[in-house]
Amino acid sequence: MILGSCRYKSIESILKHRLDQQPLEEQQELALPDTHDNIRGPAYYH
């Protein structure tokens, strides 16, 4: 849970409700396209 806030009350509430002990949500891995106009590939740099 990220709220973008670092105020004392916010941190106090996080600790009071043990939110810092909660497991992180699994992030989905983003699939990158194999080809795209902006992807140059390794041959471009040789």
Side-chain angles (χ1 to χ4, degrees):
M1 180 168 97
I2 298 175
L3 299 175
S5 178
C6 293
R7 297 176 188 246
Y8 176 82
K9 289 285 186 182
S10 298
I11 295 171
E12 180 183 39
S13 178
I14 289 169
L15 296 175
K16 180 180 177 182
H17 295 99
R18 300 179 149 244
L19 297 177
D20 61 320
Q21 302 296 318
Q22 299 295 317
L24 296 175
E25 294 179 14
E26 289 188 34
Q27 294 183 349
Q28 295 179 355
E29 211 172 298
L30 298 175
L32 298 175
D34 290 332
T35 59
H36 188 275
D37 291 340
N38 293 334
I39 298 177
R40 297 179 183 135
Y44 177 84
Y45 299 98
H46 292 285

